[in-house]
Each structure stands twice: as C-alpha cells, then as structure tokens.
Amino acid sequence: MNRRISPRPLDLERGRIDLSHGAGGRAMAQLIEELFEAHFDNPLLARHNDQACFEVGAGRMVITTDGFVISPLFFPGGDIGSLAVHGTINDVAMAGARPLYLACGMILEEGFPLADLRAIVASMAGAAKSAGVPIVTGDTKVVERGKGDGVFITTTGVGVVPAGVDIASDRAQPGDAVLINGSIGDHGTAVLSKRENLSFETEILSDSAALHGLVAAMLAAAPGIHAMRDPTRGGLAALLNEIARESRVGIMIDEGAIPIAVAVRGACELLGLDPLYVANEGKLVAFCAAAEAVRLLEAMRAHPLGRRASIIGKVVDDADGYVQMRTSFGGTRIVDWLAGEQLPRIC
Amino acid sequence: MSVRYVDEFRESRLAHALAAGIRSLADPARTYRLMEFCGGHTHAIFRYGVPDLLPANIRLVHGPGCPVCVLPVARIAHALQLASAHGVILCTYGDLVRVPGPQRQSLLKAKAAGADVRIVWSSLDALKIADENPHRQVVFFAIGFETTTPPTAVVLLQARALGVKNFSVHCNHVMTPPAIVGLLERPEAQAPGSVPIDGFIGPAHVSAVIGSRPFEPFAERYRRPVVIAGFEPLDVMQAILMLIRQLNDGRAEVENEYARVVNRDGNTKAQRMMAEVFERRAKFEWRGLGELADSALGIRPAFADFDAEQRFDLDVVAVADHKACDCGDILRGVKRPTDCRLFATGCTPDNPLGSCMVSSEGACAAYYAFGRARERAVAPV
C-alpha cells in the first residue's frame, strides 16, 4: 500500500460520511484507500486505475449488474455488503459461468456512520474472498442527508461460460424436471423479522450465499442443464412464471415437495404471506431433462449448499404458460405473478 | 405459532374423506349454491384448490366479505384528499393502497406523487407514527368488518387517554349481518325461483368478535342456513358438508363449525369497547350493494376530536363505478367474475378497474390468481 494520503487516519469508530467523502478530493481518496482498498485488497485494485484490465480465457463472457437497496442494512444471516457480492456472483453463475471479477458502486448518504460502513465493507470483502471473486474496481458517491437510505450498492460481475454449456431461460422443455437446492423464503422472512414496524422473534437466518461452487458441481453431473435461475425478489413463484413465459411452457409443481423451514412457514402464516412469493438469496432452480434429474439431484445433495435439494415438479405442454401447483390438500391452483408487492391481508 | 396446528387443518387424507362424504350427501338432482361471505374463505378455497374436491352441483358463490371491495369510491376520494390536499400522514392497511379512486387515482399513485401514505400492520402503529411526528397530523384510515373494529376502538381509547392532539381516525368499519340482510332483501333474491344463494358459509374472525347469535334472526327469517367456518380448507369443507345436510333436511339454522374459536356470544370485552367508541351510521354506501341502513359504524360524538371526518373539511364526491364493471353483481353473487366483460382483459390485478380485482381477497383477484386454469378446464355454469 502507498504512503497515507492524510496524516490523520479516518475515525472509523465515531466518524460519519460527509459530503467531502464524495467530492473527489483528499477526503475521498482517503476513504477509498483506508477503507475500500484496505479491505478489498487485490493487485488489480491496487493499480489505482479507473478500470481493471485483465486477460480472459476461452469461452463466452457473461456480464451482469445489480443494485442493492435493503432495509434494514444488517439482518440475521447477512447484510447489504455480503448480499451485494452473493447476488451478483449468483447472477453470473446462473448462466453456468465461472465468475471472475466484481466491480462495485457505493452510494453513501451524508451522516452515515463510518463504523457501519466499515462493517459492510468488511462483510463484502469477506464474501468476495471466500467466493474467490475479487472486487477489482469501483466508484463512490455521497448524496446529501435525506437523499439516500444509508448505503446503496451496485455490483457488476463478469464471468466465463465453459464450452458446451448452454443455459437460458427460454430452453425449458416439456418433460423437464424442476429442481431446487433447498428451503424457500428464509431470506425474505429474516429481513421482515427485523423491519422496524414488524419486528418479531425468530431464529430464521437469511440463506444469502454464493452459488457458483454448487453450480460447478451440478454442471459436472449434468452438463446439459437447460435453464437455471435464482428465486430472489418475487420468490419461487416469479421465477417459475418467468421461465414458463420465456420457454412458452407450463409448469406443474407439487406443494408437498417444496422444502420450507418450519419457522418460515409459521412466520408466513402469522403475517398472511405466501412463502412461494418470499425472496431468497442462496437458492437456485434448475430445469433439466428427466433422465438427468436424479443424477443432478444427487450432485446437489452432495454439496453443502444443496443438502435439502428436491425435485419439485415438471415442465408440461401449455400454450397459456400457466404455472400450477398440486396442493398438499389435494387440489390444484394457479401460481400467478404477484401484482405489486406482497402485502399483508387485512384479516 | 406452531405449524403443527396448521397442518392438521390441511390434511389431504381428511379432505378426501370429507369430499367423499359431501359427494354421497349431495343430491345429484339439485344444485347447492353456497355463498362464502368472507374474502378469507374465498382465498382459502382457491389457494388450496377446494373446488377440485367438490361435485359440480355444488357452486361456491363469492360474497361481499372483502372490506376493500365494498368501500365506495367516495371514501377513497376522502383518503386521497386527506393525503394530498390536507397534507396529513395517512396510515392504512396495505390492501387499500392500490384501490382505484376517482380518475383511477390511488393512494399508491398519490404516494408516488409526494403524498405521505404509510402502510401499517396495526392501528397502534399509526398512533406511534403520530407520537414520532408531533408537528404533523396523522390519520388512520380504518377499514374492515367487525374483525378489525376492536383494534380501531383500542387506538381511539388510547389516543384519548394520552391526550394526543395530532391523531384522528377516518372510520369505514362496516358490519356483516346487515350486509347479508341487504343481499337477501334485494329484488333478485325475492323473485321465486331466482334466489341465487341457498346457504352461507359464515365468517370466522367476524364471528369470533360478534358471536354466532347475530346470524340467527335472518337464518330463520330468510330460511337460509348459516355455518360459521374457520379459514382453513378443512373448515370450509366441513362447513359445506354441514350446509348440505341442513339443506337436505330442510333446516335453516345457524351452526358453528368453528367452535374452537367462536361461541354464541362472541368476545364481549371487544364488543363493549366497540360500543363505547362507535355508533351505527343511519346509512352507508357499499360498493355494489348501494346504501344499506344501520350497516356501518361512525365515531361517537364523545370522540369527535379524533374523528377525521369532523376535523378535516372533506368534499363529498359522488363517483360512479366503471360502466362495464360488474363488481356490484359479483359482490351480490348474481354474476361470476368470469361473466364480467372486463375480467382479465381491461381489468387485471396489475391494473384493476373494479374493487373486486384489487384485494387478494376480492373474488375477481382470487379467480385471476388461482382459478383461471380451472375455468379453462370446466365449462362455465
């Protein structure tokens, strides 16, 4: 690391973000050096360019970007920082790609405590390190008090798809099996449990995790996976509807086969929410030929992030593209797109 | 909450046993038209696929028991005036914010345009917001049947006890028994041979507050059996079985399937609080049903300081529903959602024209979300 730009280090215990931290001068350079570079530390970032330049191996490139806006910033099982790393890695991985690098844009609100920012940056750095995907370039802006929500983070990820892998939302075919790597609704419920106006006691942790290792294991077992996506906002229901629309197929799922933690079910009952529509951050849904399904399921279950993997349904012919569910009760119902945000029912 | 006590009411094996019982009891020579008054029942019926388990001659008719659906446009206009023209912090339950008001304006759109509209999960949250914003006027826009009325009474009692100066309630609480009477008093219910409802699946949470007794006079007078039922799918199936048994026997009684929560007299403490704070309005407009006498609650003069209708100068706007919208007929059980020309074309949950499409408990929204595939499979009746 270079010699310090300011004789007095940042007060990371009691200091707060002020407008000078985004103004392009000494204070901003100090923030970047003492906080971001110190934590994200890697050779590409250390070159202090406005971009990162690197060699790319053979294969198709993948790029994705995602904005992270969440309240509260810290929640059971994670925080906005680790979420911003995991979310973007997962978006890269859902193409079957190996994620290489991340870029990160931070929008900070004037007055935001540096101690909280340090915790977030440390969490990002930890998540990036354990995923093996370094944050190699970035940007920092500060907005006036009242014009942000503490911290907004945008992360961009690049990766490479190995030859022979062709995963896309429009490739699900009638007869395909639908698999998920574990229980749904954990992230959304964990976040809700800490909302200011709703706090309730629970042991539910967010499932926030980087899934590229699991994806690599899945591709080793079943290279012909047709479609794959992570059920984040809108939950499993939105994901299934997206795939049904893009692939022009119907999907029939079996309610009894969908893993849901007891505490999540309890919380959703209490709040009048349907776990099918609740967000996840460490889950993926894969569509593959029926003949490969059991092999894929076994590979998923052998991975730590897929122990509770399950085959939850199958793709069917349906010109209308309906997603339907056989209920545990014995009937069937449509699993529709959500209209607006899922809101609590009045009674 | 333990999920153990939930699963017991959703057991597929029990459902099939009940379905077999219903099939063996139902007379194939007749049709049973059973209205579930309450939106909670409509939701459960579709969410769990209850119609799949019933014979075709049992028709479930969706009633006006969704508080959002029956709220007339004029009251939404009040909410919009409060939030926009009067600049208050308007607190309300989530279902309400998307309901279209005059010129298809909604609270959600008003919020996007700068109004301070906040979704609360309980009436007490609204009072808390008032405490945190002493220089702003905070209005709780209260809606709901007897279920949500006691919490509004509690918050008014608290506000008075604390001497809060910046809090008031816009009261839109309505009552179930007068609505059922309203349905049965309509001309189409009087004409011989055209009665659209043979019996009622009675409301669960409402009855937990008011008890089953208030349904007795009209069961007798109008000769319609009522079975109070919980919101679990097995409750609904059991209630259907009990209604069929009554109809086959020619009985018209109030029976209580939901005895684990409801008794004949209800929650008398809640009733006392409601009586202290609220009084019946002489008449109140219901969307789809028109004006019904003694069907809604207003805030008593003793609490006038906390009555938003007294505190703020609100215009009375007469706004007609969309001409092609059949919400009124659907709320009365005369038409099914799919009979409406606008259903799933001009009117969808993302862009609702009528109130029945707005709330997840509305009949049209439930049909749209859960029932369309079934409609495709089963020829319309």
Side-chain angles (χ1 to χ4, degrees):
Chain A
M1 182 124 335
N2 295 337
R3 196 169 55 83
R4 282 190 184 284
I5 195 162
S6 165
R8 184 183 297 173
L10 280 176
D11 182 355
L12 289 170
E13 300 298 329
R14 292 176 300 276
R16 290 181 178 272
I17 288 291
D18 60 49
L19 292 174
S20 71
H21 289 120
R26 191 188 304 278
M28 183 168 151
Q30 185 185 16
L31 179 75
I32 291 169
E33 181 184 293
E34 292 180 26
L35 191 59
F36 296 114
E37 287 185 9
H39 282 91
F40 297 162
D41 188 29
N42 62 72
L44 287 175
L45 191 64
R47 295 181 70 178
H48 295 123
N49 290 319
D50 276 344
Q51 68 292 116
C53 196
F54 49 84
E55 300 290 333
V56 184
R60 287 178 297 142
M61 288 287 296
V62 172
I63 183 165
T64 182
T65 194
D66 213 345
F68 295 84
V69 196
I70 187 165
S71 174
L73 295 170
F74 300 90
F75 48 83
D79 56 74
I80 189 172
S82 53
L83 196 65
V85 169
H86 293 153
T88 293
I89 287 177
N90 291 347
D91 283 353
V92 172
M94 289 309 113
R98 185 167 58 88
L100 297 174
Y101 298 109
L102 293 174
C104 129
M106 311 282 294
I107 295 179
L108 311 173
E109 185 182 3
E110 180 187 17
F112 190 69
L114 282 173
D116 286 353
L117 183 60
R118 178 177 58 176
I120 289 166
V121 171
S123 168
M124 289 184 82
K129 187 173 181 192
S130 62
V133 186
I135 298 166
V136 294
T137 186
D139 179 55
T140 306
K141 294 282 186 298
V142 176
V143 294
E144 284 175 38
R145 188 187 283 272
K147 293 192 172 173
D149 201 6
V151 178
F152 299 141
I153 302 178
T154 300
T155 44
T156 297
V158 292
V160 176
V161 183
V165 172
D166 185 9
I167 295 175
S169 301
D170 61 358
R171 291 199 62 226
Q173 295 160 25
D176 277 4
V178 185
L179 297 92
I180 192 163
N181 65 319
S183 59
I184 60 168
D186 300 41
H187 173 73
T189 316
V191 170
L192 274 183
S193 76
K194 294 296 168 201
R195 285 265 164 92
E196 193 184 347
N197 58 354
L198 201 68
S199 61
F200 53 89
E201 289 300 319
T202 175
E203 292 168 0
I204 303 164
L205 298 180
S206 166
D207 57 344
S208 181
L211 295 170
H212 56 310
L214 172 65
V215 170
M218 289 167 66
L219 285 170
I225 292 171
H226 293 151
M228 191 154 55
R229 195 169 269 207
D230 54 340
T232 52
R233 266 180 314 162
L236 180 61
L239 178 148
L240 295 172
N241 276 287
E242 284 162 14
I243 299 287
R245 182 187 61 184
E246 298 301 319
S247 295
R248 298 166 188 269
V249 293
I251 297 173
M252 176 62 83
I253 54 171
D254 179 0
E255 186 175 27
I258 301 170
I260 306 180
V262 171
V264 170
R265 289 186 60 191
C268 286
E269 282 294 332
L270 207 61
L271 300 172
L273 303 176
D274 187 338
L276 287 175
Y277 295 88
V278 176
N280 312 273
E281 289 294 344
K283 293 297 166 325
L284 59 79
V285 178
F287 296 73
C288 75
E292 289 195 316
V294 172
R295 194 164 69 239
L296 181 58
L297 181 67
E298 285 169 358
M300 291 167 80
R301 285 184 173 167
H303 192 278
L305 293 175
R307 285 205 191 98
R308 288 193 69 195
S310 169
I311 297 175
I312 60 168
K314 65 177 183 179
V315 178
V316 295
D317 259 322
D318 183 353
D320 295 331
Y322 282 128
V323 177
Q324 296 185 70
M325 180 163 83
R326 260 188 294 277
T327 69
S328 301
F329 192 67
T332 56
R333 63 172 255 209
I334 284 196
V335 178
D336 200 15
W337 295 92
L338 197 59
E341 198 176 346
Q342 193 172 209
L343 297 169
R345 290 164 53 216
I346 289 171
C347 62
Chain B
M1 173 191 287
S2 165
V3 181
R4 274 191 301 130
Y5 299 110
V6 171
D7 291 342
E8 288 161 1
F9 300 106
R10 297 176 191 170
E11 240 250 59
S12 171
R13 191 176 46 81
L14 288 174
H16 282 99
L18 270 174
I22 290 169
R23 271 196 301 277
S24 68
L25 265 187
D27 178 357
R30 62 166 293 182
T31 300
Y32 299 84
R33 289 160 300 191
L34 310 178
M35 173 175 274
E36 84 275 2
F37 179 87
C38 203
H41 285 135
T42 308
H43 190 81
I45 285 164
F46 282 107
R47 179 167 177 180
Y48 298 99
V50 171
D52 290 348
L53 303 172
L54 301 176
N57 62 330
I58 296 179
R59 291 187 200 156
L60 295 176
V61 182
H62 314 297
C66 161
V68 164
C69 304
V70 295
L71 192 69
V73 174
R75 306 295 287 187
I76 301 288
H78 276 186
L80 290 164
Q81 285 172 36
L82 283 165
S84 302
H86 293 279
V88 310
I89 299 176
L90 189 89
C91 302
T92 192
Y93 295 127
D95 281 20
L96 195 75
V97 295
R98 292 192 299 117
V99 181
Q103 282 92 48
R104 302 190 70 174
Q105 182 68 278
S106 68
L107 287 172
L108 199 64
K109 288 179 181 169
K111 181 173 160 64
D116 198 344
V117 176
R118 304 195 191 176
I119 293 170
V120 292
W121 292 62
S122 88
S123 55
L124 289 171
D125 288 344
L127 192 56
K128 191 169 161 228
I129 289 170
D131 182 50
E132 291 165 353
N133 295 274
H135 304 300
R136 300 278 308 276
Q137 283 294 323
V138 175
V139 178
F140 176 55
F141 193 84
I143 66 165
F145 285 88
E146 292 89 339
T147 321
T148 52
T149 310
T152 307
V154 168
V155 83
L156 279 165
L157 288 166
Q158 279 208 4
R160 189 173 69 170
L162 296 168
V164 180
K165 298 290 180 213
N166 64 327
F167 179 77
S168 55
V169 169
H170 191 281
C171 181
N172 299 279
H173 286 298
V174 287
M175 291 182 294
T176 311
I180 298 185
V181 171
L183 282 175
L184 295 171
E185 289 282 351
R186 295 190 70 87
E188 68 261 21
Q190 304 301 314
S194 65
V195 180
I197 309 152
D198 297 311
F200 289 95
I201 300 171
H205 295 163
V206 163
S207 305
V209 175
I210 64 172
S212 61
R213 195 195 294 271
F215 299 102
E216 290 171 4
F218 82 82
E220 194 178 342
R221 181 174 167 197
Y222 298 100
R223 303 295 305 157
R224 299 286 195 295
V226 178
V227 175
I228 313 279
F231 288 135
E232 294 297 337
L234 281 181
D235 289 323
V236 176
M237 298 279 290
Q238 178 67 34
I240 290 168
L241 185 78
M242 291 165 76
L243 281 170
I244 289 172
R245 201 174 275 147
Q246 281 207 49
L247 288 165
N248 285 354
D249 295 349
R251 289 182 290 130
E253 299 164 10
V254 175
E255 291 182 312
N256 182 12
E257 182 278 336
Y258 198 38
R260 62 186 189 277
V261 173
V262 171
N263 60 37
R264 194 161 173 239
D265 293 317
N267 182 337
T268 48
K269 187 180 173 194
Q271 290 167 21
R272 276 197 303 275
M273 280 194 300
M274 284 158 64
E276 184 180 350
V277 174
F278 300 115
E279 61 185 7
R280 290 195 178 214
R281 293 177 193 265
K283 58 185 182 180
F284 191 78
E285 188 195 344
W286 290 54
R287 195 182 272 209
L289 300 179
E291 283 193 340
L292 297 180
D294 296 327
S295 66
L297 296 172
I299 295 171
R300 283 191 183 279
F303 288 82
D305 289 350
F306 299 95
D307 186 346
E309 288 181 76
Q310 308 278 337
R311 184 175 292 195
F312 299 96
D313 188 18
L314 299 170
D315 299 334
V316 180
V317 203
V319 189
D321 291 335
H322 191 288
K323 274 184 193 158
C325 172
D326 283 336
C327 275
D329 287 342
I330 292 162
L331 288 168
R332 294 196 300 273
V334 177
K335 285 187 176 175
R336 290 150 44 105
T338 44
D339 295 334
C340 176
R341 275 177 292 163
L342 299 172
F343 178 79
T345 53
C347 184
T348 64
D350 296 299
N351 205 0
L353 283 173
S355 55
C356 299
M357 192 59 98
V358 176
S359 163
S360 62
E361 295 182 13
C364 294
Y367 255 67
Y368 190 93
F370 299 135
R372 278 171 296 150
R374 183 176 161 76
E375 288 300 316
R376 184 176 54 170
V378 180
V381 288

